Amino acid sequence: MEPWQLTAAAAAAKLQDGSLTAEALTRSCLERCAEREPITKALVFLDAELAIRNARRVDKAYAKGVLHGLPLGVKDMIDTADMPTTHNSPLYAGLQQGRDAACVGVARGEGAVVFGKTDTVEFAAAGRRALTRNPHDVTRTPGGSSSGSAAAVAEGMVPIAFGTQTGGSTIRPASFCGVYAMKPTHGVVNSEGAKRYSHTLDTIGWYGRSPADLHLVARAFRLFGTEAPVAKSVGGLRIGLCRGPHWNIAAPESQEAVLTAAKRLEAAGAVVEDMVLPDAFDEISRAHHIVLHGEGRGAFLQEFLAAPGLLHQDFHDRALNKEGITPRDMVWAYDHAAACRRLFDAVFPGYDAVLTPAAAGEAPVGRQDTGNPIFNSMWTLLHVPCIGIPCITGPNGVPVGVQIIGPRMGDAALLDVAAAVAPVVDAA
Amino acid sequence: MEPWQLTAAAAAAKLQDGSLTAEALTRSCLERCAEREPITKALVFLDAELAIRNARRVDKAYAKGVLHGLPLGVKDMIDTADMPTTHNSPLYAGLQQGRDAACVGVARGEGAVVFGKTDTVEFAAAGRRALTRNPHDVTRTPGGSSSGSAAAVAEGMVPIAFGTQTGGSTIRPASFCGVYAMKPTHGVVNSEGAKRYSHTLDTIGWYGRSPADLHLVARAFRLFGTEAPVAKSVGGLRIGLCRGPHWNIAAPESQEAVLTAAKRLEAAGAVVEDMVLPDAFDEISRAHHIVLHGEGRGAFLQEFLAAPGLLHQDFHDRALNKEGITPRDMVWAYDHAAACRRLFDAVFPGYDAVLTPAAAGEAPVGRQDTGNPIFNSMWTLLHVPCIGIPCITGPNGVPVGVQIIGPRMGDAALLDVAAAVAPVVDAA
């Protein structure tokens, strides 16, 4: 087994006990990139010498952090002090920031090897798509906007990578690429240094190839309770099966993934119950749309004024408020979201987690359609933690995942549930 | 009259009609700085040649923006592409970012002359204080954390400047320095590129020497409705006089300022009524404290890991959660704030604005105590727009202001009220 094939958690064990060095793992990942990157196009910046220098710096550290020696892919709308951050925008081609984004700084502080930058939808929002291809079928999208991060982890180019989620930009690509992902409670990871689209929604997330990988990153960020994981068994877990307001637009394979996960969990001794959201949730996607476009109005004003000719029409539409969002709409959406957050949290501790689709179906064919985020955006607005778990293979032979969801600030407990259920749900 | 003596609005009129150039105004401001900066110490970075180059670039522009030709001071925790951003932290001494913060980019896009960086409390949060002195009494603080921006505008070094407010960092210094200030509705101005302390609270604000100055900046940011100001007369305005939960800790001069403003408004024909906040507001400052310290826990983790020895103890306390904030506290505080936001908005349209203290008293003596933010922090948490207006001179001969407040997203209407009431309230 080559080092690049190790999950982050398996590699971390070897890195901590000294049987693997950061440099050896980084070189192995570089070899994997040499093989796969020409096909997958996950990375927009990779300087092998720089990656190795970063690894050697970690190998010389006095103390080993939680992420010691793990190569990290960084979505290219998150600032890095030693690599350009281009946002997939011609406006920022070659842009070099002076300091790391907060999440990159924390990861570096915990010993991660900043490895390279991963392709993204323009500003993680709209406009230009990533060039990245789905590792399971090069004719399909890996999803977006965290296209390169999801694909790079799926390919073994890096064991962990950062994405972001404003609608469905972290969990949906995980489903399409067959990897694990976490979108934590909004705000618990400082998003400073990542391009802002909507301050109410933007959330740093991350990818791995096991639930333990996700836990490592959560620990690095000091998420409440993650320093003391609780081993849970599937037997006795209470899972709420939530079809949600959009079940009818889920493709058969997405419905099948959720129902298969439920069956596997019941077979393993969990209690799975249908859970119906209160009527207020019928308006939750409309509230998300208003917040997204209302906050998006100011998000790209800088670029709109600086160089409109270098800015995709999608961002002109945002700056010019093409959706016609009003101040009254915004206040309604904020208050509606706040009310729904309380309602959803009240579901717990009746359940240990809620199970729901991670995407609308398999990854679409082509590069333009990165998939429908509607099975993610409501959870993003609710600020709740979400963990994507691979589940089945769809009719076209590409992965289809599910997600589990907890209450706000319940990140640690949700990671514990994920560790318990993943071997059952991801049983293919 | 020298150009530096003009308010932003007065200068803008001349800049627009061509009777004043950006370079001439910038040179005048530089002369004012040469005279006052050795005493006031408002600026941490001023390169006269760079300021003039920026002015000449504006003078050559094809079209004139809303802020055309106006020298702009930028708080030194807001990124600038052509000047260092040091956050008053030894960790970031000399830091050069590659792009402007969003607010700076918008101002530049609207023709502002980025003039220099103003001193700030470390990370606009705690730790090291600015060196800045109060322009009205050099033995006193100008307030913080936007110390240099408030003082620079008061001195005439610049006509406008950016601050930020997480507790009381914009409105309180305005009161201490005798200038106008606006903290808009949270989130309507993109805070990307300003150091993050609390994403729920951090708000970009600005200073001027007249309500019309504040309006110019609001227009640059496309705040809803600011493109069509409505001339209001004081007669018939309904003002809610809100003592709030902390009236008893307001010094006599702060109480006097509010009561004087109320009397002046009544004399001018406004209806001023006592307004009592619902009981829920008794807990609003506790909710602010929890959000501030709870979100502050993650805000400085990057710096804590990178170089703890270069980080003030205050930030160690944040990263280590010295306040012992729990996940349950956080959820309570978020939900309590959301409930209070709805309650406060319901006061409108019964009133045109709410009148309340801007600070706890006169500017304290010395540099360490930048004043109590308690008369600001609750409004910051409520996300409502606040405008600081000078009012009286305190017993020690330094200014004491008041603030008026509107509902969320009601920025334009509040600016219209400010334009009407300022000549009455600021009558000294």
Side-chain angles (χ1 to χ4, degrees):
Chain A
M1 193 183 224
E2 296 297 322
W4 67 261
Q5 295 176 285
L6 297 167
T7 64
K14 292 175 181 288
L15 289 155
Q16 294 284 344
D17 75 17
S19 61
L20 178 67
T21 65
E23 180 175 349
L25 178 54
T26 299
R27 288 190 182 277
S28 181
C29 288
L30 287 168
E31 285 167 21
R32 180 64 178 165
C33 288
E35 188 182 341
R36 297 300 304 166
E37 177 59 14
I39 298 149
T40 305
K41 303 178 193 290
L43 295 159
V44 291
F45 182 90
L46 179 61
D47 175 337
E49 295 304 315
L50 174 57
I52 290 166
R53 278 201 304 279
N54 282 343
R56 286 185 175 176
R57 187 176 307 121
V58 167
D59 279 329
K60 285 179 178 173
Y62 294 119
K64 293 183 177 181
V66 170
L67 302 177
H68 178 81
L70 293 173
L72 171 73
V74 179
K75 186 174 179 178
D76 196 35
M77 40 65 78
I78 301 175
D79 291 344
T80 39
D82 53 358
M83 300 172 188
T85 303
T86 70
H87 304 271
N88 191 10
S89 164
L91 241 155
Y92 293 130
L95 174 70
Q96 182 58 59
Q97 288 284 67
R99 57 186 278 252
D100 285 329
C103 64
V104 173
V106 168
R108 224 190 274 265
E110 287 289 351
V113 175
V114 178
F115 183 84
K117 301 299 282 279
T118 60
D119 208 357
T120 174
V121 172
E122 191 170 349
F123 298 124
R128 304 208 298 191
R129 303 320 199 232
L131 291 177
T132 313
R133 293 161 168 172
N134 191 305
H136 298 272
D137 178 346
V138 293
T139 70
R140 291 174 189 267
T141 178
S145 64
S146 309
S147 319
S149 286
V153 169
E155 286 283 22
M157 295 174 176
V158 282
I160 49 173
F162 285 140
T164 61
Q165 180 157 312
T166 301
S169 285
T170 295
I171 299 295
R172 181 167 96 263
S175 179
F176 291 174
C177 293
V179 294
Y180 287 80
M182 179 166 197
K183 180 208 84 68
T185 299
H186 180 259
V188 297
V189 174
N190 186 347
S191 64
E192 186 190 334
K195 184 77 176 85
R196 170 161 148 173
Y197 183 3
S198 158
H199 73 274
T200 299
L201 300 168
D202 295 345
T203 312
I204 302 288
W206 50 90
Y207 295 98
R209 293 194 296 273
S210 79
D213 299 358
L214 303 181
H215 188 269
L216 278 176
V217 179
R219 267 191 67 199
F221 287 120
R222 279 32 173 197
L223 299 200
F224 279 116
T226 53
E227 71 285 2
V230 178
K232 290 183 174 160
S233 62
V234 179
L237 282 183
R238 288 163 303 172
I239 306 292
L241 193 165
C242 178
R243 288 174 173 77
H246 307 297
W247 183 254
N248 291 340
I249 60 170
E253 65 269 20
S254 267
Q255 298 186 356
E256 189 197 332
V258 170
L259 299 175
T260 300
K263 274 185 213 138
R264 289 174 181 168
L265 288 165
E266 282 184 322
V271 177
V272 181
E273 287 177 10
D274 278 322
M275 184 203 128
V276 178
L277 294 171
D279 290 346
F281 285 77
D282 294 347
E283 296 274 46
I284 193 75
S285 291
R286 186 163 77 88
H288 180 275
H289 180 85
I290 289 169
V291 171
L292 186 75
H293 286 268
E295 295 185 353
R297 180 169 166 263
F300 307 104
L301 185 53
Q302 173 182 23
E303 290 80 12
F304 177 72
L305 294 173
L310 294 179
L311 198 65
H312 192 283
Q313 182 63 37
D314 286 351
F315 303 104
H316 290 240
D317 292 347
R318 299 293 186 288
L320 296 170
N321 192 20
K322 194 185 170 195
E323 298 280 321
I325 307 294
T326 68
R328 184 186 296 260
D329 292 337
M330 298 283 289
V331 172
W332 172 81
Y334 289 138
D335 290 343
H336 190 72
C340 287
R341 283 176 201 135
R342 294 190 74 155
L343 287 171
F344 185 73
D345 279 3
V347 165
F348 304 90
Y351 297 115
D352 293 289
V354 166
L355 171 70
T356 196
E362 287 178 314
V365 171
R367 203 163 61 80
Q368 190 57 29
D369 177 7
T370 63
N372 189 339
I374 200 155
F375 289 94
N376 313 106
S377 57
M378 61 180 277
W379 310 110
T380 311
L381 181 61
L382 290 174
H383 290 176
V384 292
C386 306
I387 293 180
I389 303 177
C391 185
I392 64 168
T393 299
N396 294 293
V398 292
V400 180
V402 297
Q403 62 180 326
I404 59 171
I405 295 173
R408 284 175 294 167
M409 309 300 290
D411 302 83
L414 189 68
L415 281 160
D416 294 340
V417 172
V421 305
V424 173
V425 171
D426 183 13
Chain B
M1 192 182 225
E2 296 297 321
W4 67 261
Q5 295 176 286
L6 298 167
T7 64
K14 292 177 181 287
L15 289 155
Q16 294 284 346
D17 75 17
S19 61
L20 178 66
T21 66
E23 181 175 349
L25 178 54
T26 299
R27 287 189 183 277
S28 181
C29 289
L30 286 167
E31 284 166 23
R32 179 66 178 164
C33 289
E35 187 181 345
R36 297 300 304 166
E37 177 59 13
I39 297 149
T40 306
K41 303 178 194 290
L43 295 159
V44 291
F45 182 89
L46 179 61
D47 175 337
E49 294 304 314
L50 174 57
I52 291 166
R53 278 201 304 279
N54 282 343
R56 287 184 174 178
R57 187 176 306 122
V58 167
D59 279 329
K60 286 179 177 174
Y62 293 120
K64 293 183 177 182
V66 170
L67 303 177
H68 178 79
L70 294 173
L72 170 73
V74 179
K75 187 174 179 179
D76 196 35
M77 39 66 77
I78 300 175
D79 291 344
T80 39
D82 52 359
M83 299 172 189
T85 303
T86 71
H87 304 272
N88 191 8
S89 164
L91 241 155
Y92 293 129
L95 174 69
Q96 182 57 60
Q97 289 283 66
R99 56 186 277 252
D100 286 329
C103 64
V104 175
V106 169
R108 225 190 272 267
E110 287 289 351
V113 176
V114 178
F115 183 84
K117 301 300 283 277
T118 61
D119 208 356
T120 175
V121 173
E122 191 171 351
F123 298 124
R128 304 208 297 190
R129 304 317 198 234
L131 290 178
T132 312
R133 292 160 168 173
N134 191 306
H136 298 271
D137 178 347
V138 294
T139 71
R140 292 174 188 266
T141 178
S145 63
S146 309
S147 320
S149 286
V153 170
E155 287 283 22
M157 295 173 175
V158 282
I160 49 172
F162 285 141
T164 61
Q165 180 157 313
T166 302
S169 284
T170 295
I171 299 295
R172 182 168 95 263
S175 179
F176 291 174
C177 294
V179 294
Y180 287 79
M182 179 166 196
K183 179 207 85 66
T185 300
H186 180 260
V188 297
V189 174
N190 187 347
S191 64
E192 187 190 334
K195 184 76 175 84
R196 172 161 146 171
Y197 182 3
S198 158
H199 73 274
T200 300
L201 300 168
D202 296 345
T203 312
I204 302 289
W206 49 91
Y207 295 98
R209 292 194 296 272
S210 81
D213 300 357
L214 303 181
H215 188 268
L216 278 178
V217 180
R219 265 191 69 198
F221 287 120
R222 281 28 175 200
L223 299 200
F224 279 116
T226 52
E227 71 285 1
V230 177
K232 290 183 175 162
S233 62
V234 178
L237 282 183
R238 289 163 303 171
I239 306 292
L241 193 165
C242 178
R243 288 175 173 77
H246 308 296
W247 183 255
N248 290 339
I249 59 171
E253 65 269 21
S254 268
Q255 298 186 356
E256 187 198 333
V258 171
L259 300 176
T260 300
K263 272 184 217 145
R264 289 174 181 169
L265 287 167
E266 281 183 323
V271 177
V272 181
E273 286 177 9
D274 278 323
M275 183 204 130
V276 178
L277 294 170
D279 289 346
F281 285 78
D282 294 347
E283 296 274 44
I284 193 75
S285 291
R286 188 163 77 87
H288 179 274
H289 180 86
I290 289 168
V291 170
L292 185 75
H293 286 268
E295 295 185 352
R297 179 169 168 264
F300 306 104
L301 185 54
Q302 173 183 22
E303 290 80 13
F304 177 72
L305 294 172
L310 294 179
L311 198 65
H312 192 282
Q313 182 63 37
D314 286 350
F315 302 105
H316 290 239
D317 293 347
R318 299 292 187 289
L320 297 170
N321 192 20
K322 194 185 171 196
E323 298 279 321
I325 307 293
T326 67
R328 183 185 297 260
D329 292 337
M330 299 282 287
V331 172
W332 171 81
Y334 288 138
D335 289 344
H336 190 73
C340 287
R341 283 175 201 135
R342 292 189 75 155
L343 287 171
F344 184 73
D345 279 2
V347 164
F348 305 89
Y351 296 115
D352 293 291
V354 166
L355 171 70
T356 196
E362 286 178 315
V365 170
R367 204 163 61 80
Q368 190 58 29
D369 176 7
T370 63
N372 188 340
I374 200 155
F375 289 94
N376 312 107
S377 57
M378 61 179 279
W379 309 111
T380 311
L381 180 61
L382 290 175
H383 290 175
V384 292
C386 306
I387 293 179
I389 302 176
C391 185
I392 64 168
T393 299
N396 293 291
V398 292
V400 181
V402 297
Q403 63 180 324
I404 59 171
I405 296 174
R408 285 175 293 167
M409 308 300 291
D411 303 81
L414 189 68
L415 281 160
D416 294 339
V417 172
V421 304
V424 173
V425 170
D426 183 11

